[in-house]
Each structure stands twice: as structure tokens, then as C-alpha cells.
Amino acid sequence: MAKYESEVKFLPQCTVEQVYSKLSNLETFRPILENAANNPMIAEKLKEAGQDPAQLEKLKEVVLTSDSISFPVPMIGLMELQIVEREENRCIKLAAVGAPLDANLWIQVLPVSAGGSKMRLTLKADLNMMMKMMIGKKLEKGIDQMADMLAQLPYQMM
């Protein structure tokens, strides 16, 4: 299994309880998805970055429950990440369902002695050597981007 870890993200104003509470219920992402899908400023930023703003339409195809998130993936079809384990105020483990390979994602949250918390994402995927060469760098970059995005969520507003 290939292993990809994000950098540790510090959340100085957020307690472990706040972070865990938000991330352990995937339905809390619904307002964020709806805002992104309908936000003309985000569409403009995508255009400036040379990307197609029509990609935002795909966010409307995302299905959320408290335990899972399903989304379309090119050439694969519908893919689902499902929470398979929760360790209160420490870790959330998600598994890929309906994917052509076995993959797990861990979101680890720990308190920081100076206050606040820190978070790290770990992705383990069953990739053969060819797949590692083709998508390994993209997975490394993607796991860091996902950690950055999660670190920017408004946890203290819960």
C-alpha cells in the first residue's frame, strides 16, 4: 500500500472537540458545497487560474449523508467515501467504496499544549507500480490541498 501524508496543519483557535465535531459529520459540508457551486467569485477565480468554471456544476452532483460523501469521478463513475471508524476527538477513518482500488483516509486531530489543535491527513491506497508513477505526485499534492482546505474551515462557529 502506498502511503501519503499531509503536512501537519495547526488550528490555533480551534479545540480538538470543535474540529472533530465538524469533520465527523459530513453533512456539515453541505453549506460549503452549495456556496461554492453558486458563488460567482469562485467561478471567476477558476477562470483566472485557467480552469473551467463549469466544473462547479459537478458540486451539485455530490451527495452527502452524515457518514458518507459520493461524487462523480471521470472514467470511474460514482465514488463514495464512507466513515468506517470514529475515535472521538482523535481520528476519523474513511474508506473508498465503489473505487477500482482499496483506499483509506485518516483525519487525525490532536490538541496542542499552547492551545488549539493540529491536524494531519493520511491516505493509504493499494496502487501498483504503474499507478504510483502515474498518480503518486498528484495524490501527494491532493492530500496537502485537502488538508489546507480543511484547516480553513470555520470550526469555532459551531
Side-chain angles (χ1 to χ4, degrees):
M1 279 225 168
K3 182 177 177 180
Y4 304 92
E5 291 183 331
S6 72
E7 294 179 7
V8 174
K9 303 297 175 182
F10 291 95
L11 309 165
Q13 304 298 318
C14 308
T15 66
V16 169
E17 293 81 11
Q18 289 170 320
V19 176
Y20 178 84
S21 176
K22 185 155 199 142
L23 298 180
S24 65
N25 178 357
L26 298 177
E27 283 187 337
T28 62
F29 292 98
R30 188 175 312 282
I32 296 166
L33 284 173
E34 289 171 356
N35 180 46
N38 300 311
N39 191 325
M41 288 177 25
I42 294 175
E44 188 60 36
K45 285 185 179 182
L46 282 173
K47 201 180 284 185
E48 289 172 5
Q51 297 181 9
D52 184 6
Q55 293 175 359
L56 293 174
E57 284 298 311
K58 292 183 181 182
L59 292 177
K60 295 177 181 176
E61 298 175 38
V62 174
V63 177
L64 290 169
T65 70
S66 61
D67 295 324
S68 68
I69 179 169
S70 301
F71 47 91
V73 176
M75 298 189 316
I76 294 175
L78 197 63
M79 189 169 139
E80 179 179 358
L81 286 176
Q82 189 173 70
I83 295 177
V84 293
E85 187 178 323
R86 290 178 176 93
E87 189 177 334
E88 191 167 354
N89 299 329
R90 279 191 60 79
C91 184
I92 302 157
K93 180 180 177 184
L94 298 103
V97 178
L101 53 94
D102 289 334
N104 292 301
L105 174 70
W106 286 266
I107 304 172
Q108 300 160 300
V109 185
L110 294 170
V112 177
S113 61
S117 57
K118 61 184 177 179
M119 172 178 53
R120 180 174 63 192
L121 276 59
T122 303
L123 173 69
K124 287 188 180 176
D126 190 14
L127 302 175
N128 62 35
M129 190 57 76
M130 179 83 147
M131 291 295 286
K132 282 182 194 176
M133 290 171 45
M134 288 174 43
I135 65 171
K137 294 287 184 197
K138 290 180 182 180
L139 289 174
E140 284 177 18
K141 183 178 177 183
I143 200 79
D144 267 331
Q145 288 175 336
M146 186 177 196
D148 286 338
M149 187 246 346
L150 292 177
Q152 294 175 22
L153 293 177
Y155 295 104
Q156 55 274 49
M157 296 173 65
M158 299 212 44

